Amino acid sequence: MSVQSDMRRLTAPDIRARKGGEPIVMLTSYHAHTASIADKHCDVILVGDSLGMVMHGLETTVPVTLDMMILQGRAVMRGSRRALVVVDMPFGSYEASKEQAFMSAVRVLKETGCGAIKLEGGKRMAETIRFLVERGVPVMAHVGLTPQSINTIGSFRAQGRDEADWGPIEQDTLAVSQAGAFSVVIEAVAEPLARKLTGAVPIPTIGIGASNACDGQVLVMEDMLGLSPRVPKFVKRYGELGPGIDKAIADYAAEVRSRAFPGPQHVYPMKVPKG
Ligand code: KIV
């Protein structure tokens, strides 16, 4: 017996088929509650390893583990029904060999039920991407600024702002596309280059600090909601939730201290005896 939901989830091939079509809306989420809100509006929910910085206050994404990603991936799957959920492979879980990448990706797919994984790197990851895709793992690639490489690149700087630097980024994007990635995130890349890359590959490009010409866009939810204290230039704040949360918690604290909360409507009276 099978139990079918009346709502069909979007799949990696559905997203792949959106090349050049209606822009793909992607947003990060790490929790069931925010996932259920994002699910109403987004095509793809990314359980990004940015959760290390956003949820855990880490300086970089380097310390994030596979177990952390799987825990939040499961929460996001429980909270969503329609969007394709993509879970990031964290630093150290896939770079050593294609076999290591496969075993980590299998854990992510089996233990979360998500529809795809994302990994960082271009040419150097092409062989791994091909190996995963041939074995049933849909891969979203990530080129341009790759935050997991912070210790070798030195800073979170935009890439390709000198035309002389375009070559390697173009080769990376072509390599992941040819290896079978169903889409590619292009992060913090000069606008004309991101536009050119979008025209150069047959898979959807998802921009973050890239170009309006990309086939889709992604932002970190907390950044666009105004909850992150510092955000990169490419973030547009669509909300200012920080002051609202601050006021709500200040009001709660004041009412607890003055015994205004809980009021009579927030406590349980005794049952009225029958008869
Ligand atoms: O980890 C993340 O949230 C990401 C996006 C910024 C693309 O990789």
Side-chain angles (χ1 to χ4, degrees), residues 27 219-244:
L27 193 61
L219 283 177
V220 170
M221 185 186 289
E222 283 76 357
D223 290 354
M224 57 86 87
L225 291 180
L227 285 171
S228 305
R230 280 170 295 130
V231 291
K233 163 194 164 73
F234 56 69
V235 173
K236 177 171 176 183
R237 289 167 93 116
Y238 286 85
E240 288 297 341
L241 267 52

Side-chain angles (χ1 to χ4, degrees), residues 28 30 46 48-50 88 118 120 142 185 187 208 218 220:
T28 64
Y30 323 123
L46 173 66
D49 63 351
S50 53
D88 252 344
K118 176 166 84 59
E120 294 184 7
H142 184 152
V185 168
E187 178 164 354
I208 174 162
V218 58
V220 170

Side-chain angles (χ1 to χ4, degrees), residues 148-181:
Q148 292 175 10
S149 305
I150 183 66
N151 288 317
T152 45
I153 58 179
S155 70
F156 295 118
R157 249 202 336 267
Q159 312 284 302
R161 295 185 72 200
D162 284 325
E163 206 167 335
D165 301 333
W166 283 19
I169 306 171
E170 291 182 274
Q171 287 163 22
D172 280 344
T173 313
L174 287 174
V176 298
S177 169
Q178 284 160 5

Side-chain angles (χ1 to χ4, degrees), residues 60-137:
T60 72
T61 55
V62 171
V64 174
T65 66
L66 200 55
D67 287 338
M68 288 162 80
M69 298 309 303
I70 288 172
L71 193 64
Q72 302 322 131
R74 290 167 74 171
V76 168
M77 283 301 291
R78 283 192 290 265
S80 61
R81 296 169 66 200
R82 178 187 165 272
L84 170 67
V85 174
V86 178
V87 175
D88 252 344
M89 302 269 277
F91 179 68
S93 70
Y94 63 95
E95 302 90 331
S97 67
K98 46 195 198 309
E99 289 79 11
Q100 183 210 22
F102 182 71
M103 294 317 294
S104 298
V106 164
R107 271 200 68 198
V108 171
L109 293 186
K110 277 183 188 279
E111 295 179 36
T112 69
C114 74
I117 58 98
K118 176 166 84 59
L119 54 77
E120 294 184 7
K123 243 166 80 173
R124 69 184 166 87
M125 291 313 301
E127 196 188 332
T128 297
I129 293 173
R130 187 180 310 284
F131 188 83
L132 295 181
V133 174
E134 282 172 353
R135 284 158 184 78
V137 180

